[in-house]
Amino acid sequence: MMTAFETIQAETVPTDNENNFPAEGRLQEGLNQEITIHGSVHKIRKMSGFSFLILRTSDRLIQCVLDTGKCRVEGSLKEEACIRARALVVEEPRSKTGWELHLTEIEVLSAPEEEMPVVINGKGIDASLETLLDYRPLTLRNEKQRAIFKIQEGLCRGFRAFLEKEEFTEVHTPKIVYQGAEGGANIFRLDYFGKDAYLAQSPQFYKQMMVGVNERVFEIGPVFRAEKHDTARHLNEYTSVDFEMGYISSFRDICRMEAAMIKSSLAWLQSHYEKELALLKVRIPEAGSIPSIRFHEAKELIASRYNRPLCEKNDFEPEEEKLLCEIVKKETGSDFVFVTHYPSAKRPFYAMEDEENPEVTLSFDLLFRGLEVTTGGQRIHDFRQQLAKMERMGMDPSLFESYLWIHKAGMPPHGGLGLGLERFTARLLELENVRQAALFPRDIHRVMP
Amino acid sequence: MMTAFETIQAETVPTDNENNFPAEGRLQEGLNQEITIHGSVHKIRKMSGFSFLILRTSDRLIQCVLDTGKCRVEGSLKEEACIRARALVVEEPRSKTGWELHLTEIEVLSAPEEEMPVVINGKGIDASLETLLDYRPLTLRNEKQRAIFKIQEGLCRGFRAFLEKEEFTEVHTPKIVYQGAEGGANIFRLDYFGKDAYLAQSPQFYKQMMVGVNERVFEIGPVFRAEKHDTARHLNEYTSVDFEMGYISSFRDICRMEAAMIKSSLAWLQSHYEKELALLKVRIPEAGSIPSIRFHEAKELIASRYNRPLCEKNDFEPEEEKLLCEIVKKETGSDFVFVTHYPSAKRPFYAMEDEENPEVTLSFDLLFRGLEVTTGGQRIHDFRQQLAKMERMGMDPSLFESYLWIHKAGMPPHGGLGLGLERFTARLLELENVRQAALFPRDIHRVMP
């Protein structure tokens, strides 16, 4: 006896909105069609004799005319109700698009239980950052808030498209790890079935391991830093765009690749996210050629130009990053600057030192509009060199046994970088606080929503 | 006084290997060229008067002839050394590609310190699973091991390309959360600056929140399950391909979309990963139409067909999933089967119940060659309905305040799914253990490398 199975066909489910609207510059073709559409009621504005209903679809706000005499409404229509509707596309020169919808039939699919605790249907949101984040599941429905993350998506797609074209293999490495890669106490500890484990501060060890396998690899994923900073620049969980590549001839290969990746991603954005870029008035920076300066020269430059004392010798103060970017902008016009040759004292044990001066490493940061957005560099590939450096630093190599296998077994000269996606987004959009560029930010005080 | 900045040009760094080899079917054009190439020395086989050197590049093994009389070697040449070389492309009918390389110059960039603790340059790796995983950074260099993860990359790219085309927005949601989405004790706890926090079991709440923002969203990222199972099917950290979509008319919309996504991704694999599919002799399944059966009917079918007692009423035993797939394969030819209408007792609080029978939910699993690879379904979008269900289940709604905001504020009918990337890869490649499809698997005993 055969069983009667139902059958599910592999079929895409079209969004009602697809190909429904008059195309850019081809208004005439779309006019006077009756279409089906769905979305949320973003705003209702009563006029005399009719209402304007602003419909929020997945990617735009649409002006609709609701004349209750000419439109059958099924259900209770209020702001934030989800509706499916029939409507006529009508020419309207006062609308930005040149058209508007005249609603003929509305089915309310679901209605809100309460009014929004925060007003989300204005241009922006008139509330403190705290409120914006407390009510994040709702405030993200605001047009401008939503656009931030569409642009972030676009950046990601741009980065990925570039890396795939340049023959990088995408990898998924574990976030629960037995050992921190960056050293220090800034690591979240976890009880892993009675053993200690940690949350990965970066995919560093794993992406290096994978260079031995695929030569070029990348990963876009979460990383975790238990830093106690409470600043506009820090998140305790963020999305890191990491790549690592073998057979480099200098750490400058990494810089060149990063500049090319950014340039390519920004071009992608400009051609695919025009609407959101216009809405947020984004100034797209040039990344075709990026100035570069050595760390110690940058320190001296800032000190002399602004008459500041040289305090912290081995690192930048946040203020210094801003000042350096100001100088660079003024003198070269660039919104980016590479700072190279950071002191060995401030870089991890795997950073390759400069043969000419072991006090500094073949590493770099990329600053963008006043903020560090990338750290990268060449890594040590030779086993003995790595072992010697670990011993010099008082580390116990036996704790890094499986990592060191790759050095023992043979590794090409290699290097890579990590780019903070939220930081990059924040500087691109000139948002004051990096939290504004994280969907659901995690900071020292915030672990919800 | 102007500062003298160096300049980094945005330039891609070509791999030496790019466009170097005779193209498929255009052998003549590439012959007798001298090329530059780099890679690892995979194997050296001494013959009389010369050696075969198998070079492992980022994407293939290449047969090279090394005649020390005709080739200048700089450095110590051994297996796993990383080299840059000059070589002549020479016709060789006995080689699979129709050509081989005659080395003329070798520069050893780095040499291994020790011999490999495990032989990786055979066809496969002759070692236990434990050894394979213990030495993962090295065993992944094996040709077949590497191919597993190229195919996994291809699946991911295929899924993503499909979802982007279908207007899903990619999101990055937090992995450190204040509340588990799936309930139960299978959750990793974390000390978050003195507060309790958890590792996300799924992006469930967040992707639902984002349906209110973008209508269709997806995320490919890590999820964490503190399950104490030690089986061939379980990982404690895995990569979940999640999507969620609004304005569905039935949970079957989700099934149709999944079938279309799988079909599209498999087609992408076939056109872009031919080499790896051939190497691993992958049998690509049909996903154009997939049989579907209700859970309780499936239970009865298995019981009657195999004369098994009906023990666990509300869930499948792993053996039952295998048997069901056997029946389906035999009767319909399909490697996939949707099982629908799982008992409410076994589904989370957000699962929508069937109006006709509240004992079952509008949910489904997808089984693939004997194993569950996806769980999905329609979610409750109405606030009162959700509240009532939580109260019926003895849950405290105040603990889910920010999640419930979306229901209060208005949500469209929606649903989605999570697909386990490692499980899907394992079944596609017919690997016995899901650990074989994770780069660096995490299980109850293993948190390294």
Side-chain angles (χ1 to χ4, degrees):
Chain A
M1 183 200 68
M2 295 291 270
T3 320
F5 291 101
E6 280 183 69
T7 300
I8 298 277
Q9 296 300 332
E11 282 168 355
T12 61
V13 180
T15 71
D16 281 348
N17 302 330
E18 245 168 324
N19 308 320
N20 254 341
F21 312 125
E24 200 79 40
R26 297 169 68 180
L27 180 60
Q28 293 310 321
E29 289 174 33
L31 289 181
N32 307 318
Q33 310 281 337
E34 200 179 29
I35 62 170
T36 301
I37 189 171
H38 63 231
S40 292
V41 178
H42 191 61
K43 192 185 270 188
I44 300 178
R45 224 162 3 116
K46 290 214 185 316
M47 312 298 281
S48 64
F50 73 100
S51 298
F52 279 121
L53 184 158
I54 309 297
L55 190 70
R56 188 178 73 238
T57 71
S58 63
D59 71 344
R60 67 188 82 193
L61 298 181
I62 299 174
Q63 177 172 303
C64 306
V65 171
L66 171 63
D67 179 342
T68 43
K70 294 179 187 161
C71 178
R72 197 164 59 81
V73 178
E74 219 178 272
S76 151
L77 192 67
K78 11 180 173 171
E79 288 182 353
E80 288 305 306
C82 295
I83 65 173
R84 178 165 287 134
R86 297 282 295 164
L88 208 63
V89 182
V90 176
E91 185 158 21
E92 173 47 68
R94 284 168 298 182
S95 149
K96 258 192 220 164
T97 51
W99 54 272
E100 64 183 11
L101 297 183
H102 287 193
L103 295 159
T104 55
E105 216 179 299
I106 295 178
E107 180 195 357
V108 178
L109 300 172
S110 87
E113 177 71 17
E114 288 183 14
E115 260 191 43
M116 285 281 212
V118 54
V119 180
I120 63 122
N121 59 8
K123 271 264 174 222
I125 292 188
D126 186 21
S128 68
L129 181 60
E130 284 304 295
T131 303
L132 189 78
L133 299 181
D134 284 345
Y135 292 103
R136 201 57 155 166
L138 307 181
T139 54
L140 287 168
R141 297 182 182 186
N142 172 262
E143 190 188 13
K144 284 191 173 178
Q145 289 298 313
R146 180 167 78 169
I148 294 171
F149 298 95
K150 284 304 284 187
I151 289 174
Q152 188 166 78
E153 174 199 54
L155 280 172
C156 247
R157 286 176 70 167
F159 289 149
R160 210 183 269 125
F162 174 85
L163 291 168
E164 288 171 353
K165 195 169 145 286
E166 296 304 317
E167 301 189 44
F168 285 76
T169 295
E170 186 180 10
V171 294
H172 301 279
T173 70
K175 304 310 158 202
I176 299 179
V177 298
Y178 62 100
Q179 182 75 264
E182 308 305 318
N186 295 331
I187 189 161
F188 289 110
R189 207 192 60 75
L190 192 76
D191 173 42
Y192 192 79
F193 303 113
K195 282 186 292 238
D196 273 355
Y198 305 91
L199 289 186
Q201 296 166 306
S202 85
Q204 186 60 38
F205 295 166
Y206 296 102
K207 61 182 186 163
Q208 286 187 257
M209 291 172 188
M210 295 313 290
V211 163
V213 178
N214 298 110
E215 187 175 319
R216 295 180 171 191
V217 295
F218 78 98
E219 178 164 18
I220 300 181
V223 298
F224 309 89
R225 304 276 170 111
E227 294 175 346
K228 288 186 178 153
H229 299 295
D230 184 10
T231 76
R233 300 174 297 127
H234 285 95
L235 291 169
N236 293 103
E237 173 177 350
Y238 67 89
T239 304
S240 185
V241 178
D242 272 277
F243 75 66
E244 197 79 13
M245 56 193 277
Y247 298 95
I248 58 174
S249 49
S250 147
F251 77 92
R252 286 189 182 82
D253 280 355
I254 314 286
C255 298
R256 274 190 280 272
M257 272 302 229
E258 174 166 37
M261 177 175 87
I262 291 172
K263 185 181 162 191
S264 158
S265 184
L266 292 175
W268 166 276
L269 259 187
Q270 285 185 290
S271 55
H272 293 81
Y273 292 78
E274 208 182 333
K275 204 165 35 173
E276 289 83 6
L277 291 172
L279 180 67
L280 298 181
K281 301 192 175 68
V282 181
R283 297 186 304 133
I284 298 280
E286 280 296 322
S289 85
I290 296 181
S292 167
I293 185 170
R294 284 171 180 249
F295 174 79
H296 80 269
E297 288 171 7
K299 288 290 278 190
E300 280 163 19
L301 176 66
I302 302 160
S304 75
R305 202 61 67 86
Y306 292 93
N307 219 347
R308 287 170 61 96
L310 265 172
C311 300
E312 165 62 272
K313 213 182 73 198
N314 288 330
D315 210 349
F316 281 131
E317 299 165 52
E319 183 62 18
E320 288 177 314
E321 294 187 348
K322 282 189 192 155
L323 296 176
L324 177 61
C325 285
E326 276 177 23
I327 300 172
V328 170
K329 180 73 184 174
K330 209 163 129 191
E331 298 198 1
T332 72
S334 175
D335 287 346
F336 296 100
V337 57
F338 281 113
V339 179
T340 65
H341 299 88
Y342 274 76
S344 303
K346 279 287 175 179
R347 291 286 175 161
F349 69 93
Y350 52 76
M352 188 179 272
E353 287 158 7
D354 189 354
E355 268 186 14
E356 290 167 20
N357 174 12
E359 295 285 299
V360 302
T361 52
L362 300 175
S363 71
F364 65 92
D365 275 8
L366 178 67
L367 311 189
F368 177 23
R369 293 179 178 159
L371 186 66
E372 177 232 309
V373 293
T374 290
T375 295
Q378 182 162 2
R379 332 295 187 184
I380 297 172
H381 59 273
D382 181 78
F383 176 67
R384 282 162 192 254
Q385 193 179 339
Q386 182 60 85
L387 205 65
K389 184 161 178 179
M390 291 175 89
E391 282 165 359
R392 218 160 54 236
M393 291 174 75
M395 296 170 68
D396 178 359
S398 76
L399 296 176
F400 297 83
E401 195 190 346
S402 62
Y403 173 58
L404 291 172
W405 278 333
I406 60 171
H407 302 81
K408 266 190 221 172
M411 279 294 283
H414 66 283
L417 59 77
L419 175 151
L421 183 62
E422 293 84 356
R423 281 193 174 190
F424 194 92
T425 310
R427 294 329 298 137
L428 178 65
L429 306 186
E430 298 174 81
L431 305 171
E432 276 171 33
N433 195 309
V434 69
R435 288 167 180 80
Q436 294 169 270
L439 277 180
F440 301 96
R442 295 294 176 251
D443 63 37
I444 188 166
H445 305 297
R446 180 179 294 280
V447 71
M448 66 184 293
Chain B
M1 182 204 66
M2 295 290 270
T3 320
F5 291 102
E6 280 183 69
T7 301
I8 298 277
Q9 297 298 332
E11 282 168 353
T12 61
V13 180
T15 70
D16 281 350
N17 302 332
E18 244 169 325
N19 307 320
N20 254 340
F21 310 126
E24 200 79 40
R26 296 169 70 181
L27 181 61
Q28 294 309 321
E29 289 175 32
L31 289 181
N32 306 317
Q33 310 281 335
E34 199 179 31
I35 63 169
T36 302
I37 189 171
H38 64 231
S40 292
V41 178
H42 191 61
K43 194 184 268 190
I44 299 177
R45 223 163 4 117
K46 288 213 187 318
M47 311 299 280
S48 65
F50 73 101
S51 298
F52 279 121
L53 183 158
I54 309 297
L55 190 69
R56 188 178 71 239
T57 71
S58 61
D59 70 344
R60 67 188 82 193
L61 298 181
I62 298 173
Q63 176 171 306
C64 305
V65 171
L66 171 62
D67 179 344
T68 43
K70 294 178 186 163
C71 178
R72 198 163 58 83
V73 178
E74 221 178 90
S76 151
L77 192 66
K78 10 180 172 173
E79 287 182 354
E80 287 306 305
C82 296
I83 65 172
R84 177 164 287 134
R86 298 282 294 166
L88 208 63
V89 183
V90 176
E91 184 159 19
E92 174 48 67
R94 282 166 300 179
S95 148
K96 259 191 219 166
T97 51
W99 54 271
E100 64 182 10
L101 297 182
H102 288 192
L103 296 159
T104 56
E105 221 179 294
I106 295 177
E107 180 195 359
V108 177
L109 299 172
S110 86
E113 177 71 17
E114 287 183 14
E115 260 192 42
M116 286 281 212
V118 52
V119 179
I120 62 121
N121 59 8
K123 271 266 174 217
I125 292 188
D126 185 20
S128 68
L129 182 59
E130 284 305 294
T131 303
L132 189 78
L133 299 180
D134 284 345
Y135 292 103
R136 201 59 155 163
L138 307 181
T139 54
L140 287 168
R141 297 182 182 186
N142 173 262
E143 189 188 12
K144 284 192 173 178
Q145 289 298 313
R146 181 166 79 170
I148 294 171
F149 298 96
K150 285 304 284 186
I151 288 173
Q152 189 165 76
E153 174 200 56
L155 281 172
C156 247
R157 289 176 69 168
F159 290 149
R160 209 183 268 124
F162 174 84
L163 291 168
E164 288 171 353
K165 194 170 145 285
E166 296 304 317
E167 300 190 42
F168 286 77
T169 295
E170 185 181 9
V171 295
H172 300 280
T173 70
K175 305 309 156 202
I176 298 178
V177 298
Y178 61 100
Q179 181 76 263
E182 307 305 319
N186 295 330
I187 189 162
F188 288 110
R189 207 191 60 76
L190 192 75
D191 174 42
Y192 192 77
F193 302 115
K195 283 187 292 242
D196 272 356
Y198 304 91
L199 288 187
Q201 294 166 307
S202 85
Q204 186 60 37
F205 295 166
Y206 297 101
K207 61 181 185 163
Q208 286 186 257
M209 291 172 187
M210 296 312 291
V211 163
V213 178
N214 298 110
E215 188 176 316
R216 295 181 170 192
V217 295
F218 78 98
E219 178 165 19
I220 300 180
V223 298
F224 309 89
R225 305 276 170 110
E227 294 175 345
K228 287 185 178 154
H229 298 296
D230 184 11
T231 76
R233 302 174 296 128
H234 284 93
L235 291 170
N236 294 102
E237 173 178 350
Y238 67 88
T239 304
S240 185
V241 178
D242 271 276
F243 75 67
E244 196 80 11
M245 55 193 280
Y247 298 94
I248 58 173
S249 49
S250 148
F251 78 90
R252 287 189 180 81
D253 280 355
I254 314 284
C255 298
R256 275 190 279 273
M257 272 302 228
E258 174 165 37
M261 176 175 88
I262 290 172
K263 185 182 163 191
S264 158
S265 184
L266 292 175
W268 166 277
L269 259 187
Q270 284 184 291
S271 55
H272 292 82
Y273 291 78
E274 207 182 331
K275 205 166 32 170
E276 288 82 6
L277 291 172
L279 180 65
L280 298 181
K281 301 192 175 68
V282 181
R283 296 186 305 132
I284 298 279
E286 280 297 322
S289 85
I290 296 181
S292 168
I293 185 169
R294 284 171 181 250
F295 175 79
H296 79 269
E297 288 172 7
K299 287 291 280 193
E300 281 164 18
L301 176 67
I302 301 161
S304 75
R305 204 60 68 89
Y306 291 94
N307 218 344
R308 285 169 62 95
L310 265 173
C311 301
E312 165 62 271
K313 211 182 73 196
N314 288 329
D315 210 350
F316 280 132
E317 298 166 51
E319 183 62 18
E320 288 177 313
E321 295 187 346
K322 282 189 192 155
L323 296 177
L324 177 61
C325 285
E326 276 177 23
I327 300 173
V328 171
K329 180 72 184 174
K330 210 164 128 190
E331 298 199 0
T332 72
S334 175
D335 287 346
F336 295 100
V337 58
F338 280 112
V339 180
T340 65
H341 299 86
Y342 274 76
S344 303
K346 278 290 176 178
R347 291 286 174 160
F349 69 94
Y350 52 76
M352 188 179 272
E353 286 157 8
D354 190 352
E355 270 186 13
E356 291 166 21
N357 174 13
E359 294 285 299
V360 302
T361 51
L362 300 174
S363 71
F364 65 93
D365 276 9
L366 178 67
L367 311 189
F368 177 24
R369 292 179 179 161
L371 186 65
E372 175 232 310
V373 293
T374 290
T375 294
Q378 182 161 3
R379 331 296 187 182
I380 298 173
H381 59 273
D382 181 78
F383 177 66
R384 282 160 192 256
Q385 195 179 336
Q386 181 61 84
L387 205 63
K389 182 160 180 179
M390 290 174 89
E391 282 165 359
R392 216 161 54 237
M393 290 175 75
M395 295 171 67
D396 177 359
S398 75
L399 295 176
F400 296 83
E401 196 190 346
S402 62
Y403 173 58
L404 291 172
W405 279 332
I406 59 170
H407 302 79
K408 268 191 220 173
M411 279 295 283
H414 66 282
L417 59 77
L419 175 152
L421 183 61
E422 293 83 357
R423 280 193 175 189
F424 194 93
T425 310
R427 294 329 299 137
L428 178 64
L429 306 186
E430 299 173 83
L431 305 171
E432 276 171 33
N433 196 307
V434 68
R435 290 167 178 78
Q436 293 169 271
L439 276 180
F440 301 97
R442 295 294 176 250
D443 63 38
I444 188 166
H445 306 297
R446 179 180 296 279
V447 72
M448 66 185 292

